[in-house]
Amino acid sequence: MGLQSDVPDIWNYSAFVEGQLLGSTEFRIDENRLRLWSGIFDWPAMSERLSVSLLVSAMMEAYLHVAQPRPPGNIHAGQKLWLHGRAPHLGEALTVTTRVAGKEERKGRKWLAFESNITSGGDWLLKGEILTIWAE
Amino acid sequence: MTSNLALPPHLTQARIETNATKTARYAALTADFNPIHVDPDFAQRTPFGAPINHGTLGLSLLAQAIETTLGPVPHQVNVRFSRPAPVGVSLIAAGDLLETGDGYHVHVTTDDGVRVIEGTLHLLEPTKIEQKESSDDRN
């Protein structure tokens, strides 16, 4: 995986700015990734038809790489996904960009929304919005 | 959103039995080694009392139920993670056609009926996707 991000000492709520690009992450759908995924979901890893759920795990891995170190106690409260409907294939290279979509304090809680976009070449495969309650 | 497709009344269920081994694999797959998921000693000292599954594990299962039922169609999913799912429970992803006919009420439930993920699925017109791609190109 390649990683490009501008990471501060710790990602407290105050460190985030709406619209801020957190990083761009490169993935490849390799055999190790498929083996792990297959062992979780009982789905043949070498099937000709893989699952779009591989994009969900790629989105989370990219987010966790660029938004770290995080304070303990964050809560992943909600999730939006826009999916093109095409699953990745073995060996395919994916690019995941992650940015801050929004921040808001409500009823004493610090809400952050992170937008992820996954593309392969010129194809858009997934947009995700991770909604979290930030701990600090 | 689209309403000109004949959609089945329910999504084909997808199910997995969770356990510590699968949780460890999912942690490796996503690089999410939060001890609340993978460390029983740590988790015992939290309000959950035991390790809980990653939320997106259930969401991934839901994605599989959707694609198994509908095939490779553009769609939007909007869910909230309403309850933690302890490691060791079964997870069942399913959905019921909305009265509007253009999507589903979707959910992931444990085998004792607790809803851990809940939300909606709407199908998208391919033109919406094309418009979105064009919008991204401009940004």
mmCIF file of all heavy atoms in Angstrom, chain A residues 33 39-43 51-53 60-61 64 76-85 117 124 127, chain B residues 22 25-26 29-30 32 56-57 59-60 64 67 72-81 129 132-133:
data_model
loop_
_atom_site.group_PDB
_atom_site.id
_atom_site.type_symbol
_atom_site.label_atom_id
_atom_site.label_comp_id
_atom_site.label_asym_id
_atom_site.label_seq_id
_atom_site.Cartn_x
_atom_site.Cartn_y
_atom_site.Cartn_z
ATOM 1 N N ARG A 33 -5.159 -10.504 0.465
ATOM 2 C CA ARG A 33 -6.392 -9.798 0.827
ATOM 3 C C ARG A 33 -7.621 -10.686 0.541
ATOM 4 O O ARG A 33 -8.543 -10.786 1.352
ATOM 5 C CB ARG A 33 -6.478 -8.493 0.030
ATOM 6 C CG ARG A 33 -7.624 -7.586 0.403
ATOM 7 C CD ARG A 33 -7.536 -6.299 -0.411
ATOM 8 N NE ARG A 33 -6.327 -5.546 -0.113
ATOM 9 C CZ ARG A 33 -6.224 -4.653 0.868
ATOM 10 N NH1 ARG A 33 -7.258 -4.378 1.629
ATOM 11 N NH2 ARG A 33 -5.090 -4.017 1.083
ATOM 12 N N GLY A 39 -11.930 -16.137 4.070
ATOM 13 C CA GLY A 39 -12.005 -16.850 5.344
ATOM 14 C C GLY A 39 -12.988 -16.243 6.319
ATOM 15 O O GLY A 39 -13.354 -16.850 7.325
ATOM 16 N N ILE A 40 -13.425 -15.047 6.045
ATOM 17 C CA ILE A 40 -14.431 -14.399 6.896
ATOM 18 C C ILE A 40 -15.840 -14.710 6.386
ATOM 19 O O ILE A 40 -16.729 -15.081 7.154
ATOM 20 C CB ILE A 40 -14.224 -12.865 6.888
ATOM 21 C CG1 ILE A 40 -12.865 -12.512 7.467
ATOM 22 C CG2 ILE A 40 -15.360 -12.172 7.664
ATOM 23 C CD1 ILE A 40 -12.408 -11.099 7.117
ATOM 24 N N PHE A 41 -16.008 -14.581 5.088
ATOM 25 C CA PHE A 41 -17.371 -14.611 4.526
ATOM 26 C C PHE A 41 -17.712 -15.923 3.834
ATOM 27 O O PHE A 41 -18.780 -16.031 3.225
ATOM 28 C CB PHE A 41 -17.548 -13.442 3.553
ATOM 29 C CG PHE A 41 -17.450 -12.107 4.226
ATOM 30 C CD1 PHE A 41 -16.349 -11.291 4.034
ATOM 31 C CD2 PHE A 41 -18.451 -11.673 5.085
ATOM 32 C CE1 PHE A 41 -16.251 -10.052 4.677
ATOM 33 C CE2 PHE A 41 -18.361 -10.444 5.723
ATOM 34 C CZ PHE A 41 -17.258 -9.632 5.520
ATOM 35 N N ASP A 42 -16.815 -16.900 3.922
ATOM 36 C CA ASP A 42 -17.110 -18.215 3.334
ATOM 37 C C ASP A 42 -17.477 -18.074 1.856
ATOM 38 O O ASP A 42 -18.437 -18.679 1.374
ATOM 39 C CB ASP A 42 -18.245 -18.911 4.112
ATOM 40 C CG ASP A 42 -17.963 -18.960 5.604
ATOM 41 O OD1 ASP A 42 -16.808 -19.222 5.979
ATOM 42 O OD2 ASP A 42 -18.895 -18.710 6.394
ATOM 43 N N TRP A 43 -16.727 -17.239 1.156
ATOM 44 C CA TRP A 43 -16.972 -16.961 -0.260
ATOM 45 C C TRP A 43 -15.669 -17.323 -0.969
ATOM 46 O O TRP A 43 -14.607 -16.856 -0.563
ATOM 47 C CB TRP A 43 -17.288 -15.467 -0.415
ATOM 48 C CG TRP A 43 -17.731 -15.003 -1.756
ATOM 49 C CD1 TRP A 43 -17.127 -15.235 -2.971
ATOM 50 C CD2 TRP A 43 -18.870 -14.197 -2.045
ATOM 51 N NE1 TRP A 43 -17.830 -14.619 -3.959
ATOM 52 C CE2 TRP A 43 -18.902 -13.971 -3.430
ATOM 53 C CE3 TRP A 43 -19.888 -13.625 -1.254
ATOM 54 C CZ2 TRP A 43 -19.895 -13.209 -4.052
ATOM 55 C CZ3 TRP A 43 -20.860 -12.862 -1.876
ATOM 56 C CH2 TRP A 43 -20.874 -12.658 -3.255
ATOM 57 N N SER A 51 -16.748 -9.759 -4.613
ATOM 58 C CA SER A 51 -17.842 -8.992 -4.010
ATOM 59 C C SER A 51 -17.494 -7.509 -3.888
ATOM 60 O O SER A 51 -16.333 -7.151 -3.632
ATOM 61 C CB SER A 51 -18.138 -9.555 -2.615
ATOM 62 O OG SER A 51 -19.016 -8.711 -1.921
ATOM 63 N N VAL A 52 -18.511 -6.676 -4.015
ATOM 64 C CA VAL A 52 -18.305 -5.243 -3.771
ATOM 65 C C VAL A 52 -17.920 -4.987 -2.320
ATOM 66 O O VAL A 52 -17.411 -3.910 -1.991
ATOM 67 C CB VAL A 52 -19.557 -4.410 -4.123
ATOM 68 C CG1 VAL A 52 -19.852 -4.462 -5.608
ATOM 69 C CG2 VAL A 52 -20.768 -4.833 -3.303
ATOM 70 N N SER A 53 -18.167 -5.964 -1.430
ATOM 71 C CA SER A 53 -17.817 -5.748 -0.024
ATOM 72 C C SER A 53 -16.315 -5.561 0.153
ATOM 73 O O SER A 53 -15.876 -4.995 1.158
ATOM 74 C CB SER A 53 -18.329 -6.892 0.851
ATOM 75 O OG SER A 53 -17.575 -8.064 0.663
ATOM 76 N N MET A 60 -12.420 1.321 4.657
ATOM 77 C CA MET A 60 -12.118 1.440 6.086
ATOM 78 C C MET A 60 -10.612 1.440 6.324
ATOM 79 O O MET A 60 -10.107 2.195 7.157
ATOM 80 C CB MET A 60 -12.772 0.288 6.858
ATOM 81 C CG MET A 60 -14.273 0.421 7.005
ATOM 82 S SD MET A 60 -14.792 2.035 7.653
ATOM 83 C CE MET A 60 -14.023 2.018 9.283
ATOM 84 N N GLU A 61 -9.892 0.584 5.599
ATOM 85 C CA GLU A 61 -8.443 0.532 5.807
ATOM 86 C C GLU A 61 -7.813 1.879 5.454
ATOM 87 O O GLU A 61 -6.945 2.379 6.178
ATOM 88 C CB GLU A 61 -7.816 -0.593 4.984
ATOM 89 C CG GLU A 61 -6.311 -0.702 5.224
ATOM 90 C CD GLU A 61 -5.677 -1.887 4.527
ATOM 91 O OE1 GLU A 61 -6.399 -2.650 3.867
ATOM 92 O OE2 GLU A 61 -4.453 -2.027 4.665
ATOM 93 N N LEU A 64 -8.582 4.441 8.175
ATOM 94 C CA LEU A 64 -7.835 4.200 9.408
ATOM 95 C C LEU A 64 -6.361 4.568 9.252
ATOM 96 O O LEU A 64 -5.702 4.951 10.222
ATOM 97 C CB LEU A 64 -7.995 2.729 9.819
ATOM 98 C CG LEU A 64 -9.407 2.367 10.270
ATOM 99 C CD1 LEU A 64 -9.591 0.853 10.309
ATOM 100 C CD2 LEU A 64 -9.719 2.982 11.625
ATOM 101 N N HIS A 76 -18.122 4.624 15.512
ATOM 102 C CA HIS A 76 -18.581 4.630 14.121
ATOM 103 C C HIS A 76 -20.108 4.494 14.177
ATOM 104 O O HIS A 76 -20.643 3.410 14.373
ATOM 105 C CB HIS A 76 -17.946 3.458 13.382
ATOM 106 C CG HIS A 76 -18.172 3.477 11.902
ATOM 107 N ND1 HIS A 76 -17.531 2.609 11.045
ATOM 108 C CD2 HIS A 76 -18.959 4.252 11.111
ATOM 109 C CE1 HIS A 76 -17.911 2.836 9.799
ATOM 110 N NE2 HIS A 76 -18.791 3.822 9.816
ATOM 111 N N ALA A 77 -20.792 5.618 14.021
ATOM 112 C CA ALA A 77 -22.236 5.642 14.290
ATOM 113 C C ALA A 77 -23.094 5.366 13.066
ATOM 114 O O ALA A 77 -24.215 4.844 13.192
ATOM 115 C CB ALA A 77 -22.618 7.003 14.879
ATOM 116 N N GLY A 78 -22.603 5.739 11.900
ATOM 117 C CA GLY A 78 -23.410 5.557 10.698
ATOM 118 C C GLY A 78 -22.547 5.499 9.462
ATOM 119 O O GLY A 78 -21.351 5.840 9.492
ATOM 120 N N GLN A 79 -23.166 5.081 8.370
ATOM 121 C CA GLN A 79 -22.403 4.917 7.139
ATOM 122 C C GLN A 79 -23.322 5.080 5.938
ATOM 123 O O GLN A 79 -24.413 4.506 5.891
ATOM 124 C CB GLN A 79 -21.784 3.507 7.094
ATOM 125 C CG GLN A 79 -20.962 3.213 5.872
ATOM 126 C CD GLN A 79 -19.635 3.953 5.864
ATOM 127 O OE1 GLN A 79 -18.878 3.883 6.808
ATOM 128 N NE2 GLN A 79 -19.364 4.681 4.784
ATOM 129 N N LYS A 80 -22.881 5.884 4.972
ATOM 130 C CA LYS A 80 -23.550 5.958 3.683
ATOM 131 C C LYS A 80 -22.599 5.396 2.625
ATOM 132 O O LYS A 80 -21.383 5.600 2.702
ATOM 133 C CB LYS A 80 -23.902 7.404 3.326
ATOM 134 C CG LYS A 80 -24.910 8.041 4.269
ATOM 135 C CD LYS A 80 -25.192 9.483 3.855
ATOM 136 C CE LYS A 80 -26.151 10.155 4.833
ATOM 137 N NZ LYS A 80 -26.381 11.573 4.491
ATOM 138 N N LEU A 81 -23.170 4.712 1.664
ATOM 139 C CA LEU A 81 -22.389 4.167 0.563
ATOM 140 C C LEU A 81 -23.105 4.451 -0.746
ATOM 141 O O LEU A 81 -24.326 4.278 -0.827
ATOM 142 C CB LEU A 81 -22.231 2.639 0.697
ATOM 143 C CG LEU A 81 -21.431 2.087 1.870
ATOM 144 C CD1 LEU A 81 -21.556 0.566 1.897
ATOM 145 C CD2 LEU A 81 -19.973 2.495 1.783
ATOM 146 N N TRP A 82 -22.366 4.872 -1.739
ATOM 147 C CA TRP A 82 -22.859 4.942 -3.111
ATOM 148 C C TRP A 82 -21.971 3.989 -3.897
ATOM 149 O O TRP A 82 -20.743 4.195 -3.972
ATOM 150 C CB TRP A 82 -22.727 6.340 -3.687
ATOM 151 C CG TRP A 82 -23.633 7.364 -3.079
ATOM 152 C CD1 TRP A 82 -24.818 7.805 -3.597
ATOM 153 C CD2 TRP A 82 -23.432 8.108 -1.862
ATOM 154 N NE1 TRP A 82 -25.363 8.763 -2.766
ATOM 155 C CE2 TRP A 82 -24.543 8.961 -1.711
ATOM 156 C CE3 TRP A 82 -22.432 8.105 -0.889
ATOM 157 C CZ2 TRP A 82 -24.675 9.827 -0.619
ATOM 158 C CZ3 TRP A 82 -22.559 8.963 0.200
ATOM 159 C CH2 TRP A 82 -23.666 9.807 0.324
ATOM 160 N N LEU A 83 -22.583 2.966 -4.469
ATOM 161 C CA LEU A 83 -21.803 1.938 -5.159
ATOM 162 C C LEU A 83 -22.169 1.886 -6.625
ATOM 163 O O LEU A 83 -23.358 1.889 -6.977
ATOM 164 C CB LEU A 83 -22.053 0.570 -4.504
ATOM 165 C CG LEU A 83 -21.353 0.382 -3.155
ATOM 166 C CD1 LEU A 83 -22.151 -0.515 -2.247
ATOM 167 C CD2 LEU A 83 -19.954 -0.170 -3.368
ATOM 168 N N HIS A 84 -21.164 1.820 -7.458
ATOM 169 C CA HIS A 84 -21.404 1.698 -8.886
ATOM 170 C C HIS A 84 -21.997 0.336 -9.221
ATOM 171 O O HIS A 84 -22.736 0.179 -10.195
ATOM 172 C CB HIS A 84 -20.084 1.897 -9.642
ATOM 173 C CG HIS A 84 -20.256 2.091 -11.104
ATOM 174 N ND1 HIS A 84 -20.619 1.076 -11.960
ATOM 175 C CD2 HIS A 84 -20.119 3.191 -11.876
ATOM 176 C CE1 HIS A 84 -20.706 1.551 -13.196
ATOM 177 N NE2 HIS A 84 -20.411 2.830 -13.171
ATOM 178 N N GLY A 85 -21.662 -0.660 -8.411
ATOM 179 C CA GLY A 85 -22.172 -2.007 -8.640
ATOM 180 C C GLY A 85 -21.135 -2.940 -9.224
ATOM 181 O O GLY A 85 -21.399 -4.122 -9.397
ATOM 182 N N ASN A 117 -13.590 8.176 -1.557
ATOM 183 C CA ASN A 117 -13.894 7.826 -2.942
ATOM 184 C C ASN A 117 -12.883 6.800 -3.424
ATOM 185 O O ASN A 117 -11.679 6.971 -3.227
ATOM 186 C CB ASN A 117 -13.856 9.061 -3.845
ATOM 187 C CG ASN A 117 -15.145 9.855 -3.771
ATOM 188 O OD1 ASN A 117 -16.162 9.469 -4.353
ATOM 189 N ND2 ASN A 117 -15.128 10.943 -3.018
ATOM 190 N N TRP A 124 -15.047 5.211 -11.392
ATOM 191 C CA TRP A 124 -15.439 5.426 -10.012
ATOM 192 C C TRP A 124 -16.192 4.194 -9.531
ATOM 193 O O TRP A 124 -17.112 3.707 -10.208
ATOM 194 C CB TRP A 124 -16.325 6.676 -9.927
ATOM 195 C CG TRP A 124 -16.991 6.828 -8.608
ATOM 196 C CD1 TRP A 124 -16.435 7.322 -7.480
ATOM 197 C CD2 TRP A 124 -18.326 6.470 -8.278
ATOM 198 N NE1 TRP A 124 -17.350 7.291 -6.465
ATOM 199 C CE2 TRP A 124 -18.515 6.775 -6.926
ATOM 200 C CE3 TRP A 124 -19.386 5.906 -9.002
ATOM 201 C CZ2 TRP A 124 -19.718 6.537 -6.273
ATOM 202 C CZ3 TRP A 124 -20.585 5.666 -8.354
ATOM 203 C CH2 TRP A 124 -20.741 5.987 -7.009
ATOM 204 N N LYS A 127 -18.349 5.647 -3.352
ATOM 205 C CA LYS A 127 -18.215 6.815 -2.484
ATOM 206 C C LYS A 127 -18.801 6.409 -1.139
ATOM 207 O O LYS A 127 -19.865 5.786 -1.080
ATOM 208 C CB LYS A 127 -18.972 8.009 -3.058
ATOM 209 C CG LYS A 127 -19.008 9.221 -2.142
ATOM 210 C CD LYS A 127 -19.878 10.323 -2.737
ATOM 211 C CE LYS A 127 -20.134 11.427 -1.738
ATOM 212 N NZ LYS A 127 -21.042 12.458 -2.280
ATOM 213 N N LYS B 22 -12.443 -15.136 12.858
ATOM 214 C CA LYS B 22 -12.923 -14.257 11.790
ATOM 215 C C LYS B 22 -12.711 -12.784 12.151
ATOM 216 O O LYS B 22 -12.406 -11.966 11.279
ATOM 217 C CB LYS B 22 -14.399 -14.538 11.501
ATOM 218 C CG LYS B 22 -14.623 -15.884 10.822
ATOM 219 C CD LYS B 22 -16.074 -16.096 10.439
ATOM 220 C CE LYS B 22 -16.229 -17.408 9.697
ATOM 221 N NZ LYS B 22 -17.626 -17.670 9.283
ATOM 222 N N ARG B 25 -9.199 -11.999 11.397
ATOM 223 C CA ARG B 25 -9.009 -11.854 9.944
ATOM 224 C C ARG B 25 -9.540 -10.499 9.471
ATOM 225 O O ARG B 25 -8.916 -9.840 8.633
ATOM 226 C CB ARG B 25 -9.731 -12.982 9.200
ATOM 227 C CG ARG B 25 -9.057 -14.334 9.330
ATOM 228 C CD ARG B 25 -9.901 -15.423 8.703
ATOM 229 N NE ARG B 25 -9.277 -16.725 8.838
ATOM 230 C CZ ARG B 25 -9.940 -17.871 8.858
ATOM 231 N NH1 ARG B 25 -11.265 -17.879 8.744
ATOM 232 N NH2 ARG B 25 -9.309 -19.017 8.981
ATOM 233 N N TYR B 26 -10.677 -10.090 9.992
ATOM 234 C CA TYR B 26 -11.233 -8.806 9.556
ATOM 235 C C TYR B 26 -10.350 -7.651 10.036
ATOM 236 O O TYR B 26 -10.179 -6.654 9.327
ATOM 237 C CB TYR B 26 -12.667 -8.630 10.053
ATOM 238 C CG TYR B 26 -13.372 -7.507 9.332
ATOM 239 C CD1 TYR B 26 -13.883 -7.687 8.056
ATOM 240 C CD2 TYR B 26 -13.473 -6.236 9.905
ATOM 241 C CE1 TYR B 26 -14.485 -6.656 7.363
ATOM 242 C CE2 TYR B 26 -14.075 -5.188 9.226
ATOM 243 C CZ TYR B 26 -14.580 -5.405 7.950
ATOM 244 O OH TYR B 26 -15.164 -4.368 7.267
ATOM 245 N N LEU B 29 -7.599 -7.548 7.625
ATOM 246 C CA LEU B 29 -8.064 -7.076 6.313
ATOM 247 C C LEU B 29 -8.184 -5.563 6.271
ATOM 248 O O LEU B 29 -7.877 -4.936 5.260
ATOM 249 C CB LEU B 29 -9.417 -7.723 6.003
ATOM 250 C CG LEU B 29 -10.049 -7.410 4.645
ATOM 251 C CD1 LEU B 29 -9.200 -7.981 3.515
ATOM 252 C CD2 LEU B 29 -11.471 -7.961 4.578
ATOM 253 N N THR B 30 -8.612 -4.973 7.383
ATOM 254 C CA THR B 30 -8.849 -3.526 7.413
ATOM 255 C C THR B 30 -7.783 -2.766 8.193
ATOM 256 O O THR B 30 -7.842 -1.538 8.269
ATOM 257 C CB THR B 30 -10.213 -3.232 8.064
ATOM 258 O OG1 THR B 30 -10.231 -3.814 9.381
ATOM 259 C CG2 THR B 30 -11.349 -3.801 7.237
ATOM 260 N N ASP B 32 -7.624 -2.685 11.294
ATOM 261 C CA ASP B 32 -8.331 -2.122 12.450
ATOM 262 C C ASP B 32 -8.181 -3.085 13.630
ATOM 263 O O ASP B 32 -8.980 -4.003 13.803
ATOM 264 C CB ASP B 32 -9.805 -1.914 12.123
ATOM 265 C CG ASP B 32 -10.559 -1.247 13.280
ATOM 266 O OD1 ASP B 32 -9.957 -1.044 14.357
ATOM 267 O OD2 ASP B 32 -11.746 -0.944 13.098
ATOM 268 N N THR B 56 -18.360 -2.574 10.231
ATOM 269 C CA THR B 56 -18.382 -2.762 8.779
ATOM 270 C C THR B 56 -18.285 -4.234 8.374
ATOM 271 O O THR B 56 -18.450 -4.550 7.194
ATOM 272 C CB THR B 56 -17.261 -1.950 8.105
ATOM 273 O OG1 THR B 56 -16.020 -2.250 8.717
ATOM 274 C CG2 THR B 56 -17.557 -0.465 8.163
ATOM 275 N N LEU B 57 -18.058 -5.118 9.347
ATOM 276 C CA LEU B 57 -18.179 -6.545 9.036
ATOM 277 C C LEU B 57 -19.636 -6.846 8.662
ATOM 278 O O LEU B 57 -19.924 -7.494 7.649
ATOM 279 C CB LEU B 57 -17.737 -7.383 10.237
ATOM 280 C CG LEU B 57 -17.940 -8.890 10.135
ATOM 281 C CD1 LEU B 57 -17.034 -9.497 9.073
ATOM 282 C CD2 LEU B 57 -17.664 -9.567 11.483
ATOM 283 N N LEU B 59 -21.805 -4.617 7.732
ATOM 284 C CA LEU B 59 -22.124 -3.841 6.529
ATOM 285 C C LEU B 59 -21.647 -4.571 5.269
ATOM 286 O O LEU B 59 -22.332 -4.563 4.237
ATOM 287 C CB LEU B 59 -21.473 -2.465 6.627
ATOM 288 C CG LEU B 59 -21.735 -1.495 5.489
ATOM 289 C CD1 LEU B 59 -23.218 -1.179 5.382
ATOM 290 C CD2 LEU B 59 -20.936 -0.219 5.700
ATOM 291 N N SER B 60 -20.494 -5.199 5.351
ATOM 292 C CA SER B 60 -19.998 -5.981 4.217
ATOM 293 C C SER B 60 -20.924 -7.157 3.916
ATOM 294 O O SER B 60 -21.167 -7.496 2.753
ATOM 295 C CB SER B 60 -18.588 -6.494 4.509
ATOM 296 O OG SER B 60 -17.683 -5.429 4.610
ATOM 297 N N GLN B 64 -23.160 -7.982 0.454
ATOM 298 C CA GLN B 64 -23.225 -9.269 -0.245
ATOM 299 C C GLN B 64 -24.678 -9.713 -0.454
ATOM 300 O O GLN B 64 -25.019 -10.288 -1.496
ATOM 301 C CB GLN B 64 -22.430 -10.308 0.536
ATOM 302 C CG GLN B 64 -20.939 -10.010 0.505
ATOM 303 C CD GLN B 64 -20.132 -10.850 1.466
ATOM 304 O OE1 GLN B 64 -20.544 -11.930 1.859
ATOM 305 N NE2 GLN B 64 -18.964 -10.365 1.842
ATOM 306 N N GLU B 67 -25.928 -7.608 -3.478
ATOM 307 C CA GLU B 67 -25.438 -8.002 -4.801
ATOM 308 C C GLU B 67 -25.889 -9.404 -5.176
ATOM 309 O O GLU B 67 -26.094 -9.700 -6.361
ATOM 310 C CB GLU B 67 -23.923 -7.864 -4.880
ATOM 311 C CG GLU B 67 -23.139 -8.819 -4.007
ATOM 312 C CD GLU B 67 -21.652 -8.508 -4.023
ATOM 313 O OE1 GLU B 67 -21.175 -7.864 -4.975
ATOM 314 O OE2 GLU B 67 -20.965 -8.892 -3.079
ATOM 315 N N PRO B 72 -25.109 -6.634 -10.142
ATOM 316 C CA PRO B 72 -24.259 -5.429 -10.126
ATOM 317 C C PRO B 72 -25.026 -4.172 -10.541
ATOM 318 O O PRO B 72 -24.919 -3.717 -11.677
ATOM 319 C CB PRO B 72 -23.159 -5.773 -11.129
ATOM 320 C CG PRO B 72 -23.826 -6.708 -12.091
ATOM 321 C CD PRO B 72 -24.836 -7.495 -11.304
ATOM 322 N N VAL B 73 -25.807 -3.639 -9.633
ATOM 323 C CA VAL B 73 -26.603 -2.446 -9.945
ATOM 324 C C VAL B 73 -26.110 -1.261 -9.122
ATOM 325 O O VAL B 73 -25.701 -1.408 -7.966
ATOM 326 C CB VAL B 73 -28.098 -2.676 -9.650
ATOM 327 C CG1 VAL B 73 -28.660 -3.717 -10.591
ATOM 328 C CG2 VAL B 73 -28.320 -3.076 -8.199
ATOM 329 N N PRO B 74 -26.141 -0.063 -9.678
ATOM 330 C CA PRO B 74 -25.790 1.129 -8.894
ATOM 331 C C PRO B 74 -26.813 1.338 -7.773
ATOM 332 O O PRO B 74 -28.024 1.224 -8.008
ATOM 333 C CB PRO B 74 -25.865 2.270 -9.912
ATOM 334 C CG PRO B 74 -25.775 1.614 -11.250
ATOM 335 C CD PRO B 74 -26.422 0.274 -11.091
ATOM 336 N N HIS B 75 -26.330 1.627 -6.586
ATOM 337 C CA HIS B 75 -27.261 1.819 -5.469
ATOM 338 C C HIS B 75 -26.626 2.658 -4.370
ATOM 339 O O HIS B 75 -25.405 2.858 -4.348
ATOM 340 C CB HIS B 75 -27.744 0.479 -4.916
ATOM 341 C CG HIS B 75 -26.667 -0.386 -4.349
ATOM 342 N ND1 HIS B 75 -25.921 -1.249 -5.129
ATOM 343 C CD2 HIS B 75 -26.213 -0.546 -3.084
ATOM 344 C CE1 HIS B 75 -25.061 -1.897 -4.366
ATOM 345 N NE2 HIS B 75 -25.206 -1.482 -3.122
ATOM 346 N N GLN B 76 -27.502 3.110 -3.488
ATOM 347 C CA GLN B 76 -27.080 3.881 -2.327
ATOM 348 C C GLN B 76 -27.582 3.194 -1.066
ATOM 349 O O GLN B 76 -28.741 2.755 -1.006
ATOM 350 C CB GLN B 76 -27.661 5.294 -2.376
ATOM 351 C CG GLN B 76 -27.331 6.133 -1.154
ATOM 352 C CD GLN B 76 -28.110 7.431 -1.109
ATOM 353 O OE1 GLN B 76 -29.003 7.664 -1.913
ATOM 354 N NE2 GLN B 76 -27.790 8.279 -0.148
ATOM 355 N N VAL B 77 -26.716 3.097 -0.071
ATOM 356 C CA VAL B 77 -27.075 2.512 1.223
ATOM 357 C C VAL B 77 -26.813 3.559 2.291
ATOM 358 O O VAL B 77 -25.780 4.229 2.274
ATOM 359 C CB VAL B 77 -26.238 1.247 1.511
ATOM 360 C CG1 VAL B 77 -26.573 0.689 2.885
ATOM 361 C CG2 VAL B 77 -26.468 0.190 0.450
ATOM 362 N N ASN B 78 -27.758 3.700 3.205
ATOM 363 C CA ASN B 78 -27.618 4.645 4.312
ATOM 364 C C ASN B 78 -28.032 3.917 5.591
ATOM 365 O O ASN B 78 -29.199 3.580 5.756
ATOM 366 C CB ASN B 78 -28.524 5.853 4.062
ATOM 367 C CG ASN B 78 -28.352 6.939 5.109
ATOM 368 O OD1 ASN B 78 -27.602 6.768 6.072
ATOM 369 N ND2 ASN B 78 -29.031 8.047 4.919
ATOM 370 N N VAL B 79 -27.068 3.634 6.453
ATOM 371 C CA VAL B 79 -27.370 2.846 7.653
ATOM 372 C C VAL B 79 -26.796 3.503 8.903
ATOM 373 O O VAL B 79 -25.895 4.339 8.831
ATOM 374 C CB VAL B 79 -26.787 1.410 7.563
ATOM 375 C CG1 VAL B 79 -27.403 0.641 6.404
ATOM 376 C CG2 VAL B 79 -25.270 1.434 7.468
ATOM 377 N N ARG B 80 -27.352 3.095 10.026
ATOM 378 C CA ARG B 80 -26.737 3.442 11.303
ATOM 379 C C ARG B 80 -26.393 2.146 12.033
ATOM 380 O O ARG B 80 -27.086 1.125 11.871
ATOM 381 C CB ARG B 80 -27.647 4.331 12.143
ATOM 382 C CG ARG B 80 -28.930 3.707 12.572
ATOM 383 C CD ARG B 80 -29.862 4.735 13.205
ATOM 384 N NE ARG B 80 -31.132 4.142 13.578
ATOM 385 C CZ ARG B 80 -31.405 3.664 14.785
ATOM 386 N NH1 ARG B 80 -30.492 3.717 15.737
ATOM 387 N NH2 ARG B 80 -32.582 3.138 15.049
ATOM 388 N N PHE B 81 -25.317 2.221 12.800
ATOM 389 C CA PHE B 81 -24.908 1.074 13.609
ATOM 390 C C PHE B 81 -25.606 1.222 14.958
ATOM 391 O O PHE B 81 -25.156 1.967 15.828
ATOM 392 C CB PHE B 81 -23.389 1.039 13.749
ATOM 393 C CG PHE B 81 -22.672 0.916 12.431
ATOM 394 C CD1 PHE B 81 -22.080 2.020 11.841
ATOM 395 C CD2 PHE B 81 -22.618 -0.295 11.771
ATOM 396 C CE1 PHE B 81 -21.426 1.911 10.625
ATOM 397 C CE2 PHE B 81 -21.972 -0.413 10.546
ATOM 398 C CZ PHE B 81 -21.376 0.694 9.970
ATOM 399 N N ILE B 129 -25.134 8.064 -11.688
ATOM 400 C CA ILE B 129 -23.729 7.712 -11.513
ATOM 401 C C ILE B 129 -22.865 8.535 -12.472
ATOM 402 O O ILE B 129 -21.843 9.074 -12.094
ATOM 403 C CB ILE B 129 -23.526 6.210 -11.781
ATOM 404 C CG1 ILE B 129 -24.346 5.375 -10.787
ATOM 405 C CG2 ILE B 129 -22.053 5.839 -11.692
ATOM 406 C CD1 ILE B 129 -23.896 5.468 -9.372
ATOM 407 N N LYS B 132 -22.510 11.914 -11.291
ATOM 408 C CA LYS B 132 -21.619 12.001 -10.145
ATOM 409 C C LYS B 132 -20.163 11.957 -10.604
ATOM 410 O O LYS B 132 -19.336 12.717 -10.128
ATOM 411 C CB LYS B 132 -21.881 10.861 -9.167
ATOM 412 C CG LYS B 132 -21.168 11.151 -7.873
ATOM 413 C CD LYS B 132 -20.783 9.968 -7.110
ATOM 414 C CE LYS B 132 -19.848 10.407 -6.000
ATOM 415 N NZ LYS B 132 -18.600 10.964 -6.522
ATOM 416 N N GLU B 133 -19.865 11.062 -11.558
ATOM 417 C CA GLU B 133 -18.493 10.978 -12.062
ATOM 418 C C GLU B 133 -18.072 12.302 -12.688
ATOM 419 O O GLU B 133 -16.959 12.769 -12.473
ATOM 420 C CB GLU B 133 -18.398 9.843 -13.077
ATOM 421 C CG GLU B 133 -18.484 8.467 -12.448
ATOM 422 C CD GLU B 133 -18.573 7.374 -13.486
ATOM 423 O OE1 GLU B 133 -19.249 7.581 -14.502
ATOM 424 O OE2 GLU B 133 -17.970 6.329 -13.271
#
